[in-house]
Amino acid sequence: MSLTDRIEGLRTRIVRACEAANRDPEGVELLPVSKKQPLTLIQEAAALGFTRFGENYVQEGADKAAAFPDLAFVLLGPLQRNKAKSALQHFAEIQSLDRLDLAERLRRLAEELAVVRPVWIQVDLWDEATKLGGCAEADLPALIAALGDDPRLPLRGLMAIPPPEDEGAFAQLAALRDRLQQDLGCPLRLSMGMSADLEAAIAAGSDQIRIGTAFFGERVYAR
Ligand SMILES: *Cc1c(COP(=O)(O)O)cnc(C)c1O
């Protein structure tokens, strides 16, 4: 199947999900996830008008950002302290902020590099932390405080990868977003939903779905 065919099928799924949820499809951002996808496919997607791409690994994203200086790459994968500087240099946005020491380090480095990078906090309400990263709900206030309204790291929203078998997870995330939004008095977006579960995420109020395989096809892993 060609990239255009896959994207068309994806758009149909998004429109149907929005109709079912009584939502405007314009309110759901489609973020293509290009990890483990070749440069040629990113190029093709860019020619179709896509300008932002999700990546999981700092080095791979940095290489792609160097190859495509006009495109913006968003970091979705776990971020280690020693890669924080490289992440700020090569990514337009960081969605996997999940702990205090990382927030402090990013603030220091963003000032040193004089860059502004919107951040999203990755949350984990299901105690999956060791596997996929993510901040526990109880630790959120301290993490948000550590960001300290730093204009170099504006908080855009919450990102999560809920366990696939948990049907209530998306609603749980939406409720958390609503509470935090009220507490903080500022809008927060919700990034949830992937190729297999975008309909349920849209029904629960997702503002951004991160789509890899349904957009680009199967990922190519090195043998
Ligand atoms: C890989 C990945 C995606 C996309 O996954 P698909 O199932 O291929 O759509 C989305 N978000 C994160 C954080 C990912 O690591």
Side-chain angles (χ1 to χ4, degrees), residues 16-87:
R16 288 204 183 122
C18 284
E19 274 168 8
N22 212 356
R23 297 186 58 188
D24 179 357
E26 293 289 314
V28 180
E29 183 197 356
L30 165 59
L31 179 70
V33 178
S34 51
K35 67 175 177 218
K36 303 293 175 193
Q37 299 288 356
L39 298 182
T40 48
L41 275 183
I42 298 175
Q43 178 107 55
E44 255 187 78
L48 295 171
F50 290 88
T51 57
R52 283 158 46 84
F53 296 88
E55 283 285 338
N56 274 54
Y57 309 97
V58 174
Q59 189 55 52
E60 183 181 343
D63 292 346
K64 287 173 174 169
F68 298 109
D70 295 337
L71 301 178
F73 290 87
V74 176
L75 182 64
L76 305 176
L79 178 54
Q80 290 155 4
R81 280 177 65 83
N82 61 354
K83 302 252 175 75
K85 187 169 187 172
S86 179

Side-chain angles (χ1 to χ4, degrees), residues 125-126 137 166 168-177 179:
L125 309 180
W126 315 275
E137 186 171 0
D166 186 341
F170 290 137
Q172 218 183 333
L173 284 162
L176 173 63
R177 185 268 296 271
R179 278 201 304 282

